[in-house]
Amino acid sequence: MKKARVKIDKDFVVSEIDKRIYGNFVEHLGRCVYGGIYEPSHPLADEEGFRKDVLKLVKDLDVPVIRYPGGNFVSGYNWEDGVGPREKRNTRLDLAWGTTETNEVGIHEFDSWLKKAGAEMMMTVNLGTRGADEARQLLEYCNHPSGTKYSDMRIKNGQKDPFNYKLWCLGNEMDGPWQMGHKTANEYARLAEETAKMMKMLDPTIELVACGSSNSEMPTFGAWEQEVLEASFDHVDYISMHQYYGNPENDTASFLANTVDMDAFIRTVVATCDYVAGKRKSKKKINISFDEWNVWYHSNNAPFERWSIAPPLLEDIYNLEDALLVGSMLITLIRHADRVKIANMAQLVNVIAPIFCKSDGEAWKQTIYYPYYYSSRYGRGVSLDTRIESPKYDCKKYTDVPYLDCVVVENRTEDSIDGDFSGLSIFAVNRGEEDLDTTISLGGYSDLKIEQHVLLEGNDMKLSNGLGNEVVKPKKGTDANLADGNLNIRIPSRSWQLIRLIK
Ligand code: AHR
């Protein structure tokens, strides 16, 4: 059996983990909102039309923050269409996805749903077809107490107290030619600078995310980040990253190695942030908002009726290997907790999502739900410097890929969301086809016992879950023991797992 070693030490801390890395994303796209979180005709809809079964699955994930309302959709969105009496709301064409938007759900309805879900808003402003003026008007509508045109409009629409949203994105994927109102780096840099400046003049307590590249393959990647940050540095707090991976060539070894790329992508963007800071002789740290990430490819090119309302779009049905990569992407985010402060799996329901539901029918958990669920619940606290010595492999896309991906989190009592415990949570993925005999040295930690060992594995990487048929779900792991300050564990081939050690 191949052998791997992992070392941590209580004193070797990467950073406190910002719980917002377990965020998610709801876009007015396909059946994410209509026929997903909201379906008034469903037998399980509450008094506001929100599906209680979907909400329960969302709440179990304990999602701290949700980005809204897009995505590509936001670049043509007029937020005013979604406020005020419903019967007077405009129906609009959404050019991003070729569908019709009824505006039945807007800011007020979504805010109410967010409160039920226990999540914070991450609002995205339209910098595609609109600009700084509309962004400040929206901010005034949401955050100003009263006595002005937009704050009074909010009050008239039934919301007396300001929503007081603290986290705002300055547009979406503005480097992408597919984006409505796509901009050159220079055009966007100036717009982001001025919009951010005005928004902070209005409410200095907010935090702002500038758009980075849509992915690491973009021809402008790197130069884009530099130019945007050089212009907007004084006014923004985060730069965004987006990345999706797929396995269209059915090459599992390369697919599972994609986090090697994600890791390098993060390091490059962090370096660019620090380069710009250095050039300005500034101590300010621009951090990362990884506000779209996931596996996405199964549903590419699925046909749908153009200009229909909430058609099934981007409805990826995930399999076991997708769950393993999602587990590894979460490990990557935790590993970079010193600079990645926000991350949003894209998206929440039906649209490339961990939760899937039938309109009129039941909701269920996709395979990727599980690593997300466990990471969100037990990946809170402190990210520890996790040194991995693992045998490596070469594949079509990458060389020198460690079979083992792993990160250790110290959970403190105050971080626990389901009971008082302190201890360690160890997240691991074995990318290889052989089991890994692994020793984890727990430097500085003693008197721990194994509390929980959850394992996601299977012989068929292509297995997925369906309605009433949740075949891919975690089981109890057994091959782990503690001896002499080490955790010894056999990590099965192509598996994801969590081992929780508590005092
Ligand atoms: O999440 C789906 C789409 O992916 C988003 O609308 C867009 O921002 C990205 O390209």
Side-chain angles (χ1 to χ4, degrees), residues 262-386:
M262 182 175 176
D263 207 77
F265 186 19
I266 294 174
R267 280 188 272 110
T268 309
V269 177
V270 166
T272 311
C273 294
D274 293 350
Y275 164 75
V276 175
K279 236 175 127 187
R280 300 171 69 101
K281 304 190 174 36
S282 167
K283 290 204 167 64
K284 177 173 175 177
K285 258 192 196 166
I286 301 283
N287 284 318
I288 306 293
S289 170
F290 211 126
D291 47 44
E292 285 188 36
W293 67 269
N294 205 346
V295 172
W296 173 13
Y297 76 105
H298 297 283
S299 61
N300 288 354
N301 307 321
F304 73 101
E305 194 191 331
R306 204 159 146 77
W307 307 129
S308 54
I309 298 170
L313 280 173
L314 279 56
E315 298 205 347
D316 276 35
I317 299 299
Y318 291 111
N319 59 31
L320 175 56
E321 68 185 10
D322 299 330
L324 304 189
L325 184 65
V326 161
S328 183
M329 292 179 91
L330 285 155
I331 288 173
T332 308
L333 295 170
I334 298 170
R335 180 182 299 127
H336 289 280
D338 54 333
R339 298 306 289 269
V340 179
K341 300 295 175 186
I342 304 160
N344 307 70
M345 178 190 261
Q347 303 189 6
L348 192 55
V349 184
N350 293 333
V351 174
I352 43 172
I355 299 167
F356 204 87
C357 66
K358 273 203 174 291
S359 301
D360 279 337
E362 284 168 47
W364 69 93
K365 295 171 189 159
Q366 292 236 52
T367 60
I368 62 169
Y369 187 94
Y370 292 105
Y372 182 34
Y373 169 91
Y374 285 106
S375 303
S376 174
R377 294 189 94 76
Y378 303 114
R380 300 192 185 202
V382 172
S383 171
L384 295 171
D385 185 355
T386 307

Side-chain angles (χ1 to χ4, degrees), residues 25 27 29 71-72 97 172-173 244 292 296 314 346-347 352:
F25 174 34
E27 176 166 4
L29 195 186
N72 296 340
W97 299 105
N172 176 69
E173 295 190 347
Y244 296 96
E292 285 188 36
W296 173 13
L314 279 56
Q347 303 189 6
I352 43 172

Side-chain angles (χ1 to χ4, degrees), residues 61 83 98 114 150 158 168 190 213 301 303 312 324-325 330 406 457-458:
L61 288 169
V83 302
L114 271 181
Y150 290 101
W168 295 73
R190 284 289 297 126
S213 298
N301 307 321
L324 304 189
L325 184 65
L330 285 155
C406 178
E457 64 162 356

